[in-house]
Every structure is written in structure tokens, then in C-alpha cells.
Amino acid sequence: PFVTAAQFSLLHRTAAPEPSVFLADLNTGSVYQFTMQMSFVRQILPYEPVSENALTAFTVNTERRLFVAYGNEIYYANLP
């Protein structure tokens, strides 16, 4: 479900084979994935709070692995 009160601040774009736009929401510490036409794909949230720090950076590598930084702590997840 899309959160209307999201505070998007960080953006990352990926290339083919699945070009996407990823936006980080500072309010929830989550990352949203959209198509290049800005259709909602998914919201990526940790299963439980991983840090008391705010989300400070993220990226998606060519192997479709999401890296998220909360302060000086880095976490990763494989994207479906």
C-alpha cells in the first residue's frame, strides 16, 4: 500500500532488464520501487526496526541487491 505522507528524499534509477525508479521514504525508512512510468511496484520494509538511525543512503547494484544505510550501519537484501 502506498503511503500518502511519505517524505521522499533519495532517488536511484536502474537500467534494463527491469528499469525502475527507487525512492527512499525518510518517515518509514523504507524504499519504494516504481516503473519508469511511475507505476507503483512495491514497498520494501525491514521485517523489524533495524536501527535507531534514519535512513541515510541506498543503492541497487547490477545483481538486483538493495543496499540500505541507516547512519553507519549497512544492510542488504536481494530483490525479487
Side-chain angles (χ1 to χ4, degrees):
F2 187 75
V3 177
T4 58
Q7 181 185 351
F8 294 129
S9 67
L10 304 170
L11 175 131
H12 182 76
R13 186 176 65 107
T14 59
E18 187 182 347
S20 297
V21 174
F22 292 86
L23 296 168
D25 176 12
L26 295 183
N27 288 339
T28 62
S30 62
V31 176
Y32 288 81
Q33 181 182 4
F34 297 89
T35 66
M36 296 303 284
Q37 294 76 31
M38 295 309 291
S39 295
F40 176 74
V41 176
R42 69 178 56 91
Q43 179 185 14
I44 304 157
L45 285 161
Y47 287 115
E48 55 187 60
V50 294
S51 175
E52 293 180 5
N53 297 314
L55 189 149
T56 52
F58 79 96
T59 192
V60 178
N61 71 5
T62 56
E63 288 82 30
R64 302 202 36 81
R65 185 169 287 162
L66 171 69
F67 292 88
V68 183
Y70 298 90
N72 64 352
E73 300 172 5
I74 299 174
Y75 299 86
Y76 70 91
N78 293 319
L79 294 174

